[in-house]
Amino acid sequence: MHLFLLLILQATAALGQIDPAHCRYALGMEDRRIKDDDITASSQWYETTGPQYARLNREEGDGAWCPEGQLEPSDSQYLQVDLGRLTFLTVVGTQGRYARNSGNEFARAYRLNYSRDGLLWKSWKNRLGNAVMEGNKNAYTSVINDLHPPIITRYVRLIPVTKLSTTVCMRVELYGCPWEDGLISYSAPEGQLMMPPGYPIASLNDSTYDGVHERRRLFGGMGQLTDGVIGQDDFLVTRQYHVWPGYDYLGWRNDSLGTQGYVEMEFVFDRQRNFTSLKVHSNNMFSRGVKIFSSVSCWFKPRLIAGWEAESVAFKTVLDDRNPSARYVTVPLNRRTAKSIRCRFYFADVWMMFSEISFQSEDTVLPTQITLEVTSTPVTEEGTMATTPKTAVNASTSDPPDDGNTPILIGCLVTIILLLVIIIFLILWCQYVCKVLEKAPRRILDEEVTVRLSSCSDTIILQTPPVPPRSGHGPTVPANTDPHYERVFLLDPQYQNPAVLRNKLPELSQSAEASACGGGYAEPDVTQCTPHQCFHSNAPHYAETDIVRLQGVTGSNMYAVPALTVDSLTRKDISAAEFPRQQLIFREKLGEGQFGEVHLCEAEGLPEFLGEGSPLPDRDGRSVLVAVKQLRADATSQARNDFLKEIKIMSRLNDPNIIRLLCVCVSSDPLCMVTEYMENGDLNMFLSQREIESTLTHANNIPSVSLSDLLHMSVQISSGMKYLASLNFVHRDLATRNCLLDRRLTIKIADFGMSRNLYSSDYYRIQGRAVLPIRWMAWESILLGKFTTASDVWAFGVTLWEIFTLCKEQPYSLLSDEQVIENTGEFFRNQGRQIFLYAPPLCPPSLFELMMRCWSRDIPDRPTFEGLYQALRPHVNQ
Ligand SMILES: *[C@@H]1O[C@H](CO)[C@@H](O)[C@H](O)[C@H]1NC(C)=O
Ligand SMILES: *[C@@H]1O[C@H](CO)[C@@H](O)[C@H](O)[C@H]1NC(C)=O
Ligand SMILES: *[C@@H]1O[C@H](CO)[C@@H](O)[C@H](O)[C@H]1NC(C)=O
Ligand SMILES: *[C@@H]1O[C@H](CO)[C@@H](O)[C@H](O)[C@H]1NC(C)=O
Ligand SMILES: *[C@@H]1O[C@H](CO)[C@@H](O)[C@H](O)[C@H]1NC(C)=O
């Protein structure tokens, strides 16, 4: 069964685009699919350290490739690999010369050069412009580097880099998948700056383009349109960390390109192909003047040296003024034959923005690809097939089998179809049974169906993961390529259920904790549900989508309350007092979202209203500045409920280090909640703009903080969390971005879905709406959907780490989201392969020990917030 579904996935995958997260298969250095002849080098020291010995984890010859003599800092020695075809390269792994303990040479750093044709070499740089990658620290451990951006190439050169004269030796593996598009370059007008008043400047250039810039056009290279990263609905929000707004898109303004009203792009391919379609991922944020193109015309050139054929293919799109989502627009190309294509995309509005372009040609959707795996793999290998993509990839890249296999092929296809029918039947049946079992009538969302199904019958759902919208070229079934790349996508809905997860991580079933599928862990403060379900019932639908430019406001909607199953809340549930709306005087807008807005207001007479003894926020004469979160009158009832729920939760909280709900206006629409205004914004922003106090910062007037400030902040957060824990409240999203600072630098913990837009790269978006702060989450929250005070302790550890790195870096910044999730699996297994956050240089060792305890695998080993508070407090008074 595994085998067949794998094949189906492969077939559909061939239609889609590259997904860098899935395209990470070993390309054959270690297993010798890359032949000795294809590995060359600028030099070699001995016969026995030739380039053919540069294979990861192999101990042949003298154990590695070593260039001749000592490597000097000015040297440019290289190891070159010919991959035999255009490849989408995503990861590079290196290792030193171990040679059964007789070797001790390795490369501490290296650069990459690459070439698509073997003639023109380009040097690789990461998204921030750095070319040098960190290499090995000893002769045996392999080090993996993710390429951001990935490279599309056939030839790769690894160039060891050194600061001192030294001997280096290397073993390597390359990871990626075949580049089926066949595109070798595109040219386009340079992207432009968008400078609308009131918004950040969006720089819509192609910042990773590897060709030449000439007369405001890009020539002869590829860049962001082929990096596998699609832009978000809001083009200002980026998927990368520390880049500028608009990063993911290449965009143009209609009047900047003369009066022609179109953008002309030219695409060159590796060989003549018969094109079926072209897919353009385009932004459609019409509220900001961006739309998909209104029409496109393409011309074809069958050979490089030939004229453009007169007959073009034209295609009109259906413009969409309702849905602002970015989308793929598919343009049929009518199986025209070409070696290069020229397309004109006509503007539909002032702006046009693309994030990705891909081409489908007949030879990319090879029906034979399906057969390959069946015929070239003996049946006895079925098990391994499904779990080892290496085999699958190997098979799919090998030569096609001869025609004698056609009957087998047809037989297999028929079997696949029969199996599909059976699976569909089983799914329908299961759905029916599930419905009957739980009589509660309920609107079933797609995602919920998956979750529910899996609790009904693990075996079936496991085999039918929803085909991801952008599947890569490899099987999406998690599998075991290599110890570093054991792929487990735990946030796929199929894993959301612990019972299903057990099948993926067999060790889990031995763990007593993971014994239940529905509610086994009955600790008092546990809200037991999958992240999905939780986010569905508690998630802030009214705010999550697009509040931008927000500061110092709050709305704590994610505090999970164990007994909060109420669906409609009434006035009597809300203990905060009703404030006369007319006494709120608008000062300025702080943020805006789909269902609401946040305003900075003066609240006249608030001190009197709240009465004596009520500690007040910053005063400004008689009036007080407050943040007012307001729900639009036309918000959905779901959003309304969430809003009221949030009010209810917040009105119960009263602690100096928790944001306070001062009053509400809920007797009439629009609903409002009034909270303290936190002038200094969030802690993340605050710290990232500061340096640690030193004579240098004093001399140059650089904003700074002292170590004791940092400790004081940590104590305040632990104090606020201690309070939440005493109420059995689980915060679920503790991080510096959710801690606010007032004028006197008092920290108050808040948590609002709205911040998710500013910090979207901190969250991992799973299929539907749910977003998870995976870099802050304990392993059991990610793997089991279990959120407890102990998982808040974990997040507190990460928050401390952020504080002591002055928020200059995202946690695990070198790992992709998928790797973070894989690392979570390692935390669970606890075999010493998990990667911990490093000790920040500023951080006293005793404090780092405390952080490490927060990240203990077993909950009893983690400190409590009371313990943390007691441990941190003495530091401050020193
Ligand atoms: C790497 O590429 C750069 C051009 O981008 C070139 O100047 C350099 O010589 C190349 N180095 C090697 C070893 O190929
Ligand atoms: C793209 O724009 C950014 C931000 O304005 C700038 O830093 C970068 O150098 C530009 N890159 C290219 C290749 O023009
Ligand atoms: C493209 O299609 C034509 C016929 O429509 C066929 O003769 C040719 O071999 C095909 N070329 C490729 C590269 O598939
Ligand atoms: C650009 O778009 C605007 C708005 O659609 C339109 O008024 C203007 O004529 C366009 N300019 C050109 C040169 O097409
Ligand atoms: C991989 O493919 C090569 C031919 O390209 C073949 O010789 C080898 O046996 C294959 N390996 C596996 C594990 O299927």
Side-chain angles (χ1 to χ4, degrees), residues 677-741:
Y677 172 58
M678 303 294 282
E679 196 159 315
N680 270 307
D682 71 68
L683 185 58
N684 189 287
M685 207 86 92
F686 182 84
L687 287 179
S688 64
Q689 291 162 356
R690 279 168 175 73
E691 299 296 333
I692 198 75
E693 206 166 66
S694 66
T695 45
L696 193 77
T697 58
H698 281 303
N700 296 314
N701 244 342
I702 299 171
S704 63
V705 285
S706 68
L707 199 56
S708 86
D709 289 340
L710 299 183
L711 284 163
H712 188 224
M713 290 169 178
S714 314
V715 174
Q716 292 185 67
I717 300 173
S718 68
S719 172
M721 290 307 294
K722 178 166 71 89
Y723 169 78
L724 285 188
S726 72
L727 299 179
N728 279 346
F729 270 45
V730 181
H731 186 291
R732 287 164 186 258
D733 195 7
L734 180 61
T736 53
R737 63 180 172 275
N738 287 330
C739 297
L740 303 180
L741 287 156

Side-chain angles (χ1 to χ4, degrees), residues 189-192 194 204-205 225 235 249-257 260-265 280-285 288-296 317 319 329 343-355 357:
E190 244 171 21
Q192 289 155 359
M194 185 177 189
L204 302 161
N205 60 5
L225 293 184
F235 56 89
Y249 284 98
L250 177 55
W252 310 270
R253 199 188 151 92
N254 71 349
D255 54 14
S256 65
L257 304 164
Q260 57 199 18
Y262 57 78
V263 167
E264 185 168 277
M265 300 183 72
V280 183
H281 189 266
S282 174
N283 192 279
N284 195 44
M285 204 178 179
R288 306 280 315 274
V290 188
K291 264 201 209 129
I292 63 168
F293 45 94
S294 60
S295 65
V296 55
T317 62
L319 293 177
V329 181
C343 293
R344 288 181 180 167
F345 298 92
Y346 288 84
F347 283 94
D349 208 323
V350 183
W351 284 90
M352 189 153 71
M353 294 182 193
F354 298 162
S355 72
I357 293 193

Side-chain angles (χ1 to χ4, degrees), residues 780-798:
E780 73 273 12
S781 308
I782 296 182
L783 300 189
L784 305 171
K786 183 177 167 188
F787 290 86
T788 62
T789 296
S791 61
D792 277 353
V793 167
W794 182 295
F796 178 77
V798 181

